[in-house]
């Protein structure tokens, strides 16, 4: 059996434009593939926690980069290094496009409210330049606001232990500077600020 | 410049998103297409949810005997007293809110010829396509002396609910220094790592609460799922508490004396203080009654659509289906439910199914906060579901990694039940 792969919204848009009153049920391979992630990352990529990250609303390039890094051994993980080996670059791209379109749903999560104000200030000083709009923007970097706190902690541990590669030199510089000036408590405050965001 | 490129890419996606909205209402005339789903567990609930999502014009009716469903996954934590039974209880209310019609009744027959489902109360539900997710049926007598009537005294706890609580209670009330004997099932069965996770959880409870007690697993197999990881965990955390006896020692045929709780094997007899018999399994009763099973008791299907190869128009998903390399797990049932929903939605709209995608991840707790996992991606190759890639938690994983897996296991539970039950 030869599979017909509907690769993008453009194909669908063309189909809809050609026959606006025809039956509109279209299911793409991208969607079918992306739905297999829901068991851990939640329906449409918004995780209900407490640790597995939300991947909805992700910058598609970062999604592809993460999958390649897991596949090629440049990023530590638990099950993702095993799973990422199961897809081609083209399939990464299809899933990246799907998740980029999904809204990042934010849920209440446990965090230390006393740290939030300081975390916000430190975010503005050290992180906002790339993680814009209080960590909510996805255009330049990963969405941090509303991400699950244990996941953010794991990622910071991995960066600092050399198990996750810095993609931007600036991030390493800013993180190092912040830790020197503000210590681990400063980092904790920033992460708790993200966890407080809705 | 990387940043600019990222922005451009994202804007491109934004444009396609604006037009790429699925599920515009069908304007076809005539009666709505009808799908009847038999069984409201993990597979059936997922299929219902995704059918509504793929084509909201399809009328979806889900029939189950019970108003509540206790997930088999995470029930071993209840046995260890780490969670209560209520925390693994799911209902069909979420599906109802999504427009699935819920009927609580017992299905007595699925008539592929007449295209209708008949229930014990005499109701008839016509369908264009039917999806059957019947779970498992226990073959009690395969362990000599074990019967359905005995399960109130000797729990299997392989269908979660009151059985789970009963086993937890018996272990709690066991005398200190007692022996819990588990009889594991032969392949294939629901949740391949389940018996060995259960041994970890019972051992944890005994270590904390009843020093000197033991868990002995009588196994008709010579190897089992995640064996290296479990064996290492038993040595590290439960040395002298868990003992596994494989078929090379105990053989493959066992008999029990329900009065004395004695298990007879080829290696001799072992007396239990608490006995947990997990019998051999086959597809759920309704599949047996509807001619959906082969001579081994499981349901052969076309893996691209999960349509039965025996009864056209009727699909079988989850533990009951023969799904190639996929194990009988909750995640596999969820994954199959989505592939089946995709295929059914397209077929009912006169279209061919698209390429399927299947996955499975199973976490097993080895301590209250540490877990190990197996994960795999599958593909359809020459008409069979084969494993494309997969693997286990590395044997040298640190305690920190195992704790992360524990947190991700908890996340898996919370997310998958939302994905299935809403």
């Amino acid at each position: 059996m030869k599979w017909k792969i509907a690769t993008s919204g453009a194909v669908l848009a063309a189909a809809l434009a050609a026959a606006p009153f025809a039956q509109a049920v279209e299911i793409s391979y991208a969607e079918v593939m992306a739905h297999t992630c829901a068991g851990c990352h939640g329906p449409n990529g918004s995780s209900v926690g407490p640790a597995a990250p939300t991947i909805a609303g992700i910058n598609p390039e970062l999604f592809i980069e993460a999958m390649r890094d897991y596949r090629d051994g440049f990023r530590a993980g638990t099950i993702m290094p095993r799973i990422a080996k199961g897809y081609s670059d083209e399939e990464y791209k299809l899933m990246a496009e799907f998740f980029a379109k999904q809204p990042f749903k934010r849920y209440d999560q446990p965090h230390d409210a006393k740290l939030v104000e300081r975390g916000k200030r430190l975010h503005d000083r050290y992180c906002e330049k790339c993680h814009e709009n209080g960590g909510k923007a996805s255009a330049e970097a990963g969405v941090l606001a509303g991400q699950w706190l244990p996941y953010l902690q794991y990622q910071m541990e991995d960066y600092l232990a050399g198990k996750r590669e810095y993609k931007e030199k600036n991030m390493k510089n800013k993180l190092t500077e912040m830790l020197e000036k503000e210590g681990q408590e400063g980092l904790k405050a920033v992460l708790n600020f993200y966890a407080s965001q809705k | 410049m990387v940043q600019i490129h990222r922005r451009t890419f994202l804007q491109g996606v934004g444009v396609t998103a604006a037009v790429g909205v699925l599920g515009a209402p069908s304007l076809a005339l005539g009666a709505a297409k009808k799908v009847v789903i038999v069984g409201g567990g993990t597979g059936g609930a997922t299929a219902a949810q995704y059918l509504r999502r793929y084509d909201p014009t399809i009328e979806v009716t889900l029939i189950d005997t019970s108003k509540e469903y206790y997930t088999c996954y995470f029930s071993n934590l209840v046995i260890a007293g780490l969670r209560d039974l209520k925390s693994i209880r799911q209902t069909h209310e979420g599906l109802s809110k999504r427009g699935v019609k819920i009927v609580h009744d017992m299905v007595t027959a699925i008539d592929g010829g007449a295209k209708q489902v008949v229930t014990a109360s005499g109701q008839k539900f016509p369908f264009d396509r039917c999806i059957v997710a019947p779970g498992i049926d226990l073959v009690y007598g395969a362990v000599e002396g074990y019967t359905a009537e005995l399960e109130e005294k000797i729990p299997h706890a392989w269908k979660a609910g009151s059985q789970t609580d009963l086993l937890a209670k018996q272990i709690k009330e066991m005398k200190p220094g007692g022996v819990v004997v588990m009889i594991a099932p032969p392949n294939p069965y629901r949740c391949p790592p389940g018996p060995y996770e259960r041994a970890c959880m019972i051992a944890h409870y005994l270590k904390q609460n009843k020093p000197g007690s033991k868990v002995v697993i009588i196994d008709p197999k010579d190897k089992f799922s995640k064996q290296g990881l479990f064996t290492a965990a038993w040595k590290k955390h439960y040395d002298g508490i868990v003992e596994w006896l494989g078929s090379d020692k105990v053989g493959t045929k066992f008999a029990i004396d329900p009065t004395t709780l004695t298990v007879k094997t080829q290696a001799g007899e072992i007396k239990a203080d608490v006995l947990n018999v997990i019998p051999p399994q086959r597809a759920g009763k309704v599949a047996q009654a509807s001619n959906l099973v082969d001579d081994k008791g499981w349901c052969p299907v076309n893996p691209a659509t999960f349509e039965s190869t025996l009864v056209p128009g009727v699909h079988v998903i989850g533990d009951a289906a023969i799904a190639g390399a996929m194990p009988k797990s909750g995640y596999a049932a969820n994954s199959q439910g989505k592939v089946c929903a995709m295929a059914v939605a397209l077929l009912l709209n006169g279209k061919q199914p698209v390429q399927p995608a299947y996955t499975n991840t199973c976490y097993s707790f080895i301590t209250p906060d540490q877990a190990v996992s197996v994960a795999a991606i599958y593909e359809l190759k020459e008409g069979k579901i084969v494993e494309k890639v997969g693997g286990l938690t590395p044997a040298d994983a640190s305690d920190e990694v195992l704790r992360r897996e524990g947190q991700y296991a908890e996340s898996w539970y919370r997310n998958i039940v939302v994905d299935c039950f809403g």
Side-chain angles (χ1 to χ4, degrees), chain B residues 60-99:
Chain B
V60 181
T61 304
L62 185 147
I63 309 174
D64 197 294
T65 48
S66 180
K67 286 189 177 163
E68 52 192 16
Y69 175 76
Y70 293 91
T71 61
C72 203
Y73 34 98
F74 274 51
S75 65
N76 285 331
L77 298 176
V78 177
I79 292 168
L82 298 168
R83 294 174 79 105
D84 62 11
L85 190 61
K86 205 170 149 244
S87 75
I88 58 166
R89 174 182 179 269
Q90 306 298 332
T91 71
H92 302 121
E93 285 158 25
L95 297 175
S96 184
K97 281 185 195 133
R98 279 170 176 74

mmCIF file of all heavy atoms in Angstrom, chain B residues 60-99:
data_model
loop_
_atom_site.group_PDB
_atom_site.id
_atom_site.type_symbol
_atom_site.label_atom_id
_atom_site.label_comp_id
_atom_site.label_asym_id
_atom_site.label_seq_id
_atom_site.Cartn_x
_atom_site.Cartn_y
_atom_site.Cartn_z
ATOM 1 N N VAL B 60 -21.318 8.745 17.786
ATOM 2 C CA VAL B 60 -20.521 7.732 18.489
ATOM 3 C C VAL B 60 -21.249 7.290 19.761
ATOM 4 O O VAL B 60 -21.576 8.116 20.614
ATOM 5 C CB VAL B 60 -19.123 8.279 18.863
ATOM 6 C CG1 VAL B 60 -18.297 7.201 19.567
ATOM 7 C CG2 VAL B 60 -18.390 8.794 17.629
ATOM 8 N N THR B 61 -21.514 5.998 19.877
ATOM 9 C CA THR B 61 -22.129 5.441 21.077
ATOM 10 C C THR B 61 -21.141 4.480 21.722
ATOM 11 O O THR B 61 -20.613 3.597 21.046
ATOM 12 C CB THR B 61 -23.414 4.660 20.731
ATOM 13 O OG1 THR B 61 -24.289 5.541 20.021
ATOM 14 C CG2 THR B 61 -24.123 4.154 21.974
ATOM 15 N N LEU B 62 -20.887 4.686 23.000
ATOM 16 C CA LEU B 62 -19.970 3.788 23.720
ATOM 17 C C LEU B 62 -20.766 2.997 24.749
ATOM 18 O O LEU B 62 -21.508 3.573 25.547
ATOM 19 C CB LEU B 62 -18.851 4.603 24.395
ATOM 20 C CG LEU B 62 -17.747 3.789 25.081
ATOM 21 C CD1 LEU B 62 -16.407 4.543 24.973
ATOM 22 C CD2 LEU B 62 -18.059 3.548 26.540
ATOM 23 N N ILE B 63 -20.630 1.680 24.694
ATOM 24 C CA ILE B 63 -21.387 0.827 25.608
ATOM 25 C C ILE B 63 -20.421 0.095 26.541
ATOM 26 O O ILE B 63 -19.466 -0.527 26.092
ATOM 27 C CB ILE B 63 -22.224 -0.220 24.833
ATOM 28 C CG1 ILE B 63 -23.062 0.456 23.731
ATOM 29 C CG2 ILE B 63 -23.138 -1.000 25.782
ATOM 30 C CD1 ILE B 63 -23.803 -0.513 22.823
ATOM 31 N N ASP B 64 -20.699 0.211 27.816
ATOM 32 C CA ASP B 64 -19.870 -0.496 28.806
ATOM 33 C C ASP B 64 -20.772 -0.922 29.959
ATOM 34 O O ASP B 64 -21.744 -0.243 30.271
ATOM 35 C CB ASP B 64 -18.748 0.417 29.320
ATOM 36 C CG ASP B 64 -17.645 -0.374 30.015
ATOM 37 O OD1 ASP B 64 -17.908 -0.969 31.081
ATOM 38 O OD2 ASP B 64 -16.531 -0.398 29.483
ATOM 39 N N THR B 65 -20.424 -2.027 30.600
ATOM 40 C CA THR B 65 -21.246 -2.505 31.720
ATOM 41 C C THR B 65 -21.123 -1.578 32.920
ATOM 42 O O THR B 65 -22.030 -1.483 33.726
ATOM 43 C CB THR B 65 -20.797 -3.912 32.177
ATOM 44 O OG1 THR B 65 -19.373 -3.888 32.327
ATOM 45 C CG2 THR B 65 -21.169 -4.968 31.158
ATOM 46 N N SER B 66 -19.981 -0.916 33.013
ATOM 47 C CA SER B 66 -19.675 -0.234 34.257
ATOM 48 C C SER B 66 -19.595 1.281 34.082
ATOM 49 O O SER B 66 -19.143 1.771 33.053
ATOM 50 C CB SER B 66 -18.341 -0.772 34.771
ATOM 51 O OG SER B 66 -18.023 -0.141 35.973
ATOM 52 N N LYS B 67 -20.008 2.002 35.123
ATOM 53 C CA LYS B 67 -19.951 3.462 35.091
ATOM 54 C C LYS B 67 -18.571 3.978 35.408
ATOM 55 O O LYS B 67 -18.260 5.143 35.209
ATOM 56 C CB LYS B 67 -20.949 4.058 36.089
ATOM 57 C CG LYS B 67 -22.369 3.934 35.605
ATOM 58 C CD LYS B 67 -23.334 4.702 36.469
ATOM 59 C CE LYS B 67 -24.713 4.581 35.846
ATOM 60 N NZ LYS B 67 -25.790 4.911 36.736
ATOM 61 N N GLU B 68 -17.760 3.101 35.990
ATOM 62 C CA GLU B 68 -16.410 3.538 36.337
ATOM 63 C C GLU B 68 -15.407 2.502 35.868
ATOM 64 O O GLU B 68 -15.735 1.328 35.700
ATOM 65 C CB GLU B 68 -16.305 3.766 37.847
ATOM 66 C CG GLU B 68 -16.784 2.584 38.626
ATOM 67 C CD GLU B 68 -16.970 2.896 40.092
ATOM 68 O OE1 GLU B 68 -17.030 4.069 40.470
ATOM 69 O OE2 GLU B 68 -17.049 1.927 40.860
ATOM 70 N N TYR B 69 -14.222 2.989 35.649
ATOM 71 C CA TYR B 69 -13.166 2.121 35.141
ATOM 72 C C TYR B 69 -11.922 2.390 35.965
ATOM 73 O O TYR B 69 -11.511 3.542 36.122
ATOM 74 C CB TYR B 69 -12.920 2.437 33.663
ATOM 75 C CG TYR B 69 -11.753 1.677 33.060
ATOM 76 C CD1 TYR B 69 -11.880 0.334 32.726
ATOM 77 C CD2 TYR B 69 -10.528 2.297 32.839
ATOM 78 C CE1 TYR B 69 -10.819 -0.376 32.185
ATOM 79 C CE2 TYR B 69 -9.457 1.597 32.294
ATOM 80 C CZ TYR B 69 -9.612 0.262 31.980
ATOM 81 O OH TYR B 69 -8.557 -0.431 31.441
ATOM 82 N N TYR B 70 -11.354 1.323 36.513
ATOM 83 C CA TYR B 70 -10.108 1.469 37.268
ATOM 84 C C TYR B 70 -8.962 1.019 36.370
ATOM 85 O O TYR B 70 -8.989 -0.098 35.847
ATOM 86 C CB TYR B 70 -10.163 0.624 38.546
ATOM 87 C CG TYR B 70 -11.187 1.157 39.527
ATOM 88 C CD1 TYR B 70 -12.503 0.695 39.511
ATOM 89 C CD2 TYR B 70 -10.848 2.159 40.430
ATOM 90 C CE1 TYR B 70 -13.455 1.212 40.381
ATOM 91 C CE2 TYR B 70 -11.787 2.675 41.310
ATOM 92 C CZ TYR B 70 -13.091 2.200 41.286
ATOM 93 O OH TYR B 70 -14.027 2.713 42.141
ATOM 94 N N THR B 71 -8.001 1.906 36.180
ATOM 95 C CA THR B 71 -6.915 1.569 35.270
ATOM 96 C C THR B 71 -6.045 0.479 35.887
ATOM 97 O O THR B 71 -5.718 0.533 37.074
ATOM 98 C CB THR B 71 -6.033 2.796 34.978
ATOM 99 O OG1 THR B 71 -5.450 3.267 36.196
ATOM 100 C CG2 THR B 71 -6.849 3.910 34.342
ATOM 101 N N CYS B 72 -5.678 -0.475 35.043
ATOM 102 C CA CYS B 72 -4.775 -1.524 35.508
ATOM 103 C C CYS B 72 -3.407 -0.883 35.774
ATOM 104 O O CYS B 72 -2.730 -1.235 36.737
ATOM 105 C CB CYS B 72 -4.689 -2.617 34.450
ATOM 106 S SG CYS B 72 -4.176 -4.183 35.119
ATOM 107 N N TYR B 73 -3.021 0.068 34.893
ATOM 108 C CA TYR B 73 -1.765 0.763 35.121
ATOM 109 C C TYR B 73 -1.884 1.615 36.390
ATOM 110 O O TYR B 73 -2.911 2.222 36.640
ATOM 111 C CB TYR B 73 -1.333 1.620 33.926
ATOM 112 C CG TYR B 73 -2.421 2.277 33.115
ATOM 113 C CD1 TYR B 73 -2.774 3.610 33.335
ATOM 114 C CD2 TYR B 73 -3.084 1.576 32.117
ATOM 115 C CE1 TYR B 73 -3.756 4.229 32.577
ATOM 116 C CE2 TYR B 73 -4.081 2.185 31.368
ATOM 117 C CZ TYR B 73 -4.410 3.500 31.598
ATOM 118 O OH TYR B 73 -5.394 4.106 30.844
ATOM 119 N N PHE B 74 -0.846 1.594 37.169
ATOM 120 C CA PHE B 74 -0.737 2.256 38.473
ATOM 121 C C PHE B 74 -1.467 1.512 39.600
ATOM 122 O O PHE B 74 -1.430 1.937 40.744
ATOM 123 C CB PHE B 74 -1.167 3.734 38.419
ATOM 124 C CG PHE B 74 -0.031 4.653 38.012
ATOM 125 C CD1 PHE B 74 0.721 4.381 36.873
ATOM 126 C CD2 PHE B 74 0.313 5.772 38.761
ATOM 127 C CE1 PHE B 74 1.791 5.197 36.493
ATOM 128 C CE2 PHE B 74 1.377 6.603 38.389
ATOM 129 C CZ PHE B 74 2.110 6.309 37.251
ATOM 130 N N SER B 75 -2.134 0.381 39.276
ATOM 131 C CA SER B 75 -2.834 -0.339 40.352
ATOM 132 C C SER B 75 -1.834 -1.033 41.285
ATOM 133 O O SER B 75 -2.163 -1.283 42.448
ATOM 134 C CB SER B 75 -3.842 -1.336 39.782
ATOM 135 O OG SER B 75 -3.205 -2.366 39.063
ATOM 136 N N ASN B 76 -0.624 -1.312 40.794
ATOM 137 C CA ASN B 76 0.370 -1.913 41.704
ATOM 138 C C ASN B 76 0.775 -0.943 42.812
ATOM 139 O O ASN B 76 1.179 -1.367 43.892
ATOM 140 C CB ASN B 76 1.610 -2.368 40.922
ATOM 141 C CG ASN B 76 1.341 -3.646 40.128
ATOM 142 O OD1 ASN B 76 0.514 -4.464 40.522
ATOM 143 N ND2 ASN B 76 2.023 -3.812 39.007
ATOM 144 N N LEU B 77 0.652 0.349 42.544
ATOM 145 C CA LEU B 77 0.960 1.338 43.587
ATOM 146 C C LEU B 77 -0.118 1.328 44.671
ATOM 147 O O LEU B 77 0.151 1.617 45.840
ATOM 148 C CB LEU B 77 1.086 2.738 42.978
ATOM 149 C CG LEU B 77 2.210 2.913 41.942
ATOM 150 C CD1 LEU B 77 2.168 4.307 41.329
ATOM 151 C CD2 LEU B 77 3.569 2.677 42.557
ATOM 152 N N VAL B 78 -1.340 1.000 44.257
ATOM 153 C CA VAL B 78 -2.435 0.890 45.231
ATOM 154 C C VAL B 78 -2.191 -0.320 46.133
ATOM 155 O O VAL B 78 -2.386 -0.262 47.348
ATOM 156 C CB VAL B 78 -3.798 0.776 44.508
ATOM 157 C CG1 VAL B 78 -4.939 0.590 45.508
ATOM 158 C CG2 VAL B 78 -4.045 2.007 43.622
ATOM 159 N N ILE B 79 -1.718 -1.413 45.533
ATOM 160 C CA ILE B 79 -1.442 -2.632 46.312
ATOM 161 C C ILE B 79 -0.374 -2.349 47.377
ATOM 162 O O ILE B 79 -0.437 -2.861 48.485
ATOM 163 C CB ILE B 79 -1.019 -3.781 45.365
ATOM 164 C CG1 ILE B 79 -2.228 -4.200 44.506
ATOM 165 C CG2 ILE B 79 -0.465 -4.980 46.138
ATOM 166 C CD1 ILE B 79 -1.904 -5.107 43.347
ATOM 167 N N ALA B 80 0.585 -1.474 47.036
ATOM 168 C CA ALA B 80 1.651 -1.134 47.988
ATOM 169 C C ALA B 80 1.218 -0.056 48.985
ATOM 170 O O ALA B 80 2.016 0.365 49.816
ATOM 171 C CB ALA B 80 2.889 -0.661 47.231
ATOM 172 N N GLY B 81 -0.022 0.413 48.863
ATOM 173 C CA GLY B 81 -0.504 1.443 49.784
ATOM 174 C C GLY B 81 0.028 2.836 49.466
ATOM 175 O O GLY B 81 -0.058 3.751 50.284
ATOM 176 N N LEU B 82 0.577 3.026 48.287
ATOM 177 C CA LEU B 82 1.153 4.331 47.924
ATOM 178 C C LEU B 82 0.121 5.273 47.295
ATOM 179 O O LEU B 82 0.352 6.471 47.187
ATOM 180 C CB LEU B 82 2.326 4.133 46.945
ATOM 181 C CG LEU B 82 3.510 3.330 47.510
ATOM 182 C CD1 LEU B 82 4.470 2.933 46.409
ATOM 183 C CD2 LEU B 82 4.229 4.138 48.588
ATOM 184 N N ARG B 83 -0.971 4.732 46.817
ATOM 185 C CA ARG B 83 -2.075 5.542 46.271
ATOM 186 C C ARG B 83 -3.355 4.875 46.738
ATOM 187 O O ARG B 83 -3.338 3.700 47.108
ATOM 188 C CB ARG B 83 -2.091 5.502 44.734
ATOM 189 C CG ARG B 83 -0.919 6.142 44.059
ATOM 190 C CD ARG B 83 -1.022 5.894 42.554
ATOM 191 N NE ARG B 83 -1.953 6.786 41.896
ATOM 192 C CZ ARG B 83 -1.579 7.812 41.136
ATOM 193 N NH1 ARG B 83 -0.316 8.060 40.909
ATOM 194 N NH2 ARG B 83 -2.472 8.597 40.564
ATOM 195 N N ASP B 84 -4.471 5.612 46.690
ATOM 196 C CA ASP B 84 -5.721 4.913 46.978
ATOM 197 C C ASP B 84 -6.433 4.567 45.671
ATOM 198 O O ASP B 84 -6.106 5.093 44.613
ATOM 199 C CB ASP B 84 -6.611 5.689 47.952
ATOM 200 C CG ASP B 84 -7.031 7.039 47.413
ATOM 201 O OD1 ASP B 84 -6.819 7.292 46.207
ATOM 202 O OD2 ASP B 84 -7.557 7.847 48.187
ATOM 203 N N LEU B 85 -7.367 3.654 45.789
ATOM 204 C CA LEU B 85 -8.046 3.134 44.608
ATOM 205 C C LEU B 85 -8.746 4.250 43.827
ATOM 206 O O LEU B 85 -8.798 4.236 42.603
ATOM 207 C CB LEU B 85 -9.058 2.056 45.039
ATOM 208 C CG LEU B 85 -9.686 1.237 43.914
ATOM 209 C CD1 LEU B 85 -8.633 0.455 43.128
ATOM 210 C CD2 LEU B 85 -10.736 0.281 44.464
ATOM 211 N N LYS B 86 -9.245 5.229 44.573
ATOM 212 C CA LYS B 86 -9.967 6.333 43.945
ATOM 213 C C LYS B 86 -9.076 7.081 42.939
ATOM 214 O O LYS B 86 -9.556 7.624 41.945
ATOM 215 C CB LYS B 86 -10.438 7.287 45.047
ATOM 216 C CG LYS B 86 -11.647 8.100 44.674
ATOM 217 C CD LYS B 86 -12.202 8.836 45.893
ATOM 218 C CE LYS B 86 -12.839 10.137 45.444
ATOM 219 N NZ LYS B 86 -12.183 11.321 45.949
ATOM 220 N N SER B 87 -7.772 7.104 43.205
ATOM 221 C CA SER B 87 -6.877 7.867 42.340
ATOM 222 C C SER B 87 -6.671 7.204 40.975
ATOM 223 O O SER B 87 -6.119 7.817 40.066
ATOM 224 C CB SER B 87 -5.509 8.056 43.026
ATOM 225 O OG SER B 87 -4.760 6.849 42.989
ATOM 226 N N ILE B 88 -7.105 5.950 40.818
ATOM 227 C CA ILE B 88 -6.993 5.322 39.490
ATOM 228 C C ILE B 88 -8.390 5.069 38.889
ATOM 229 O O ILE B 88 -8.549 4.287 37.977
ATOM 230 C CB ILE B 88 -6.162 4.013 39.524
ATOM 231 C CG1 ILE B 88 -6.744 2.989 40.495
ATOM 232 C CG2 ILE B 88 -4.694 4.320 39.894
ATOM 233 C CD1 ILE B 88 -6.171 1.575 40.318
ATOM 234 N N ARG B 89 -9.368 5.757 39.460
ATOM 235 C CA ARG B 89 -10.743 5.599 38.957
ATOM 236 C C ARG B 89 -11.000 6.591 37.835
ATOM 237 O O ARG B 89 -10.710 7.777 37.969
ATOM 238 C CB ARG B 89 -11.716 5.849 40.108
ATOM 239 C CG ARG B 89 -13.171 5.863 39.735
ATOM 240 C CD ARG B 89 -14.009 6.165 40.993
ATOM 241 N NE ARG B 89 -15.431 6.226 40.697
ATOM 242 C CZ ARG B 89 -16.068 7.355 40.370
ATOM 243 N NH1 ARG B 89 -15.421 8.502 40.310
ATOM 244 N NH2 ARG B 89 -17.357 7.325 40.111
ATOM 245 N N GLN B 90 -11.531 6.107 36.732
ATOM 246 C CA GLN B 90 -11.898 6.974 35.611
ATOM 247 C C GLN B 90 -13.381 6.762 35.300
ATOM 248 O O GLN B 90 -13.925 5.695 35.578
ATOM 249 C CB GLN B 90 -11.069 6.642 34.355
ATOM 250 C CG GLN B 90 -9.563 6.661 34.592
ATOM 251 C CD GLN B 90 -9.050 8.034 35.010
ATOM 252 O OE1 GLN B 90 -9.628 9.059 34.666
ATOM 253 N NE2 GLN B 90 -7.948 8.055 35.762
ATOM 254 N N THR B 91 -14.003 7.783 34.721
ATOM 255 C CA THR B 91 -15.412 7.643 34.336
ATOM 256 C C THR B 91 -15.569 8.065 32.871
ATOM 257 O O THR B 91 -14.605 8.488 32.242
ATOM 258 C CB THR B 91 -16.324 8.549 35.192
ATOM 259 O OG1 THR B 91 -16.079 9.909 34.805
ATOM 260 C CG2 THR B 91 -16.060 8.380 36.672
ATOM 261 N N HIS B 92 -16.782 7.968 32.379
ATOM 262 C CA HIS B 92 -17.044 8.323 30.982
ATOM 263 C C HIS B 92 -17.668 9.713 30.842
ATOM 264 O O HIS B 92 -18.157 10.065 29.770
ATOM 265 C CB HIS B 92 -17.942 7.260 30.340
ATOM 266 C CG HIS B 92 -17.324 5.890 30.404
ATOM 267 N ND1 HIS B 92 -17.919 4.825 31.035
ATOM 268 C CD2 HIS B 92 -16.126 5.437 29.955
ATOM 269 C CE1 HIS B 92 -17.129 3.764 30.950
ATOM 270 N NE2 HIS B 92 -16.031 4.108 30.305
ATOM 271 N N GLU B 93 -17.632 10.485 31.929
ATOM 272 C CA GLU B 93 -18.257 11.818 31.895
ATOM 273 C C GLU B 93 -17.568 12.758 30.903
ATOM 274 O O GLU B 93 -18.220 13.549 30.229
ATOM 275 C CB GLU B 93 -18.248 12.439 33.293
ATOM 276 C CG GLU B 93 -19.301 11.812 34.203
ATOM 277 C CD GLU B 93 -18.986 11.983 35.677
ATOM 278 O OE1 GLU B 93 -18.261 12.939 36.033
ATOM 279 O OE2 GLU B 93 -19.458 11.143 36.469
ATOM 280 N N GLY B 94 -16.245 12.663 30.833
ATOM 281 C CA GLY B 94 -15.492 13.500 29.897
ATOM 282 C C GLY B 94 -15.875 13.206 28.456
ATOM 283 O O GLY B 94 -15.986 14.113 27.623
ATOM 284 N N LEU B 95 -16.093 11.942 28.158
ATOM 285 C CA LEU B 95 -16.486 11.559 26.796
ATOM 286 C C LEU B 95 -17.889 12.076 26.498
ATOM 287 O O LEU B 95 -18.176 12.553 25.396
ATOM 288 C CB LEU B 95 -16.467 10.034 26.641
ATOM 289 C CG LEU B 95 -15.119 9.351 26.804
ATOM 290 C CD1 LEU B 95 -15.280 7.837 26.746
ATOM 291 C CD2 LEU B 95 -14.153 9.815 25.727
ATOM 292 N N SER B 96 -18.739 11.974 27.498
ATOM 293 C CA SER B 96 -20.113 12.443 27.352
ATOM 294 C C SER B 96 -20.130 13.936 26.994
ATOM 295 O O SER B 96 -20.875 14.372 26.108
ATOM 296 C CB SER B 96 -20.849 12.176 28.663
ATOM 297 O OG SER B 96 -22.179 12.519 28.528
ATOM 298 N N LYS B 97 -19.259 14.704 27.646
ATOM 299 C CA LYS B 97 -19.173 16.146 27.372
ATOM 300 C C LYS B 97 -18.712 16.416 25.945
ATOM 301 O O LYS B 97 -18.986 17.468 25.384
ATOM 302 C CB LYS B 97 -18.200 16.809 28.340
ATOM 303 C CG LYS B 97 -18.806 17.058 29.698
ATOM 304 C CD LYS B 97 -17.841 17.836 30.593
ATOM 305 C CE LYS B 97 -18.298 17.764 32.035
ATOM 306 N NZ LYS B 97 -17.219 17.448 32.963
ATOM 307 N N ARG B 98 -17.974 15.467 25.381
ATOM 308 C CA ARG B 98 -17.499 15.634 24.001
ATOM 309 C C ARG B 98 -18.472 15.063 22.980
ATOM 310 O O ARG B 98 -18.132 14.865 21.821
ATOM 311 C CB ARG B 98 -16.119 14.999 23.848
ATOM 312 C CG ARG B 98 -15.028 15.905 24.362
ATOM 313 C CD ARG B 98 -13.694 15.205 24.437
ATOM 314 N NE ARG B 98 -12.655 16.151 24.838
ATOM 315 C CZ ARG B 98 -12.512 16.630 26.067
ATOM 316 N NH1 ARG B 98 -13.351 16.255 27.013
ATOM 317 N NH2 ARG B 98 -11.558 17.480 26.347
ATOM 318 N N GLY B 99 -19.669 14.754 23.442
ATOM 319 C CA GLY B 99 -20.707 14.349 22.493
ATOM 320 C C GLY B 99 -20.784 12.860 22.237
ATOM 321 O O GLY B 99 -21.476 12.420 21.319
#
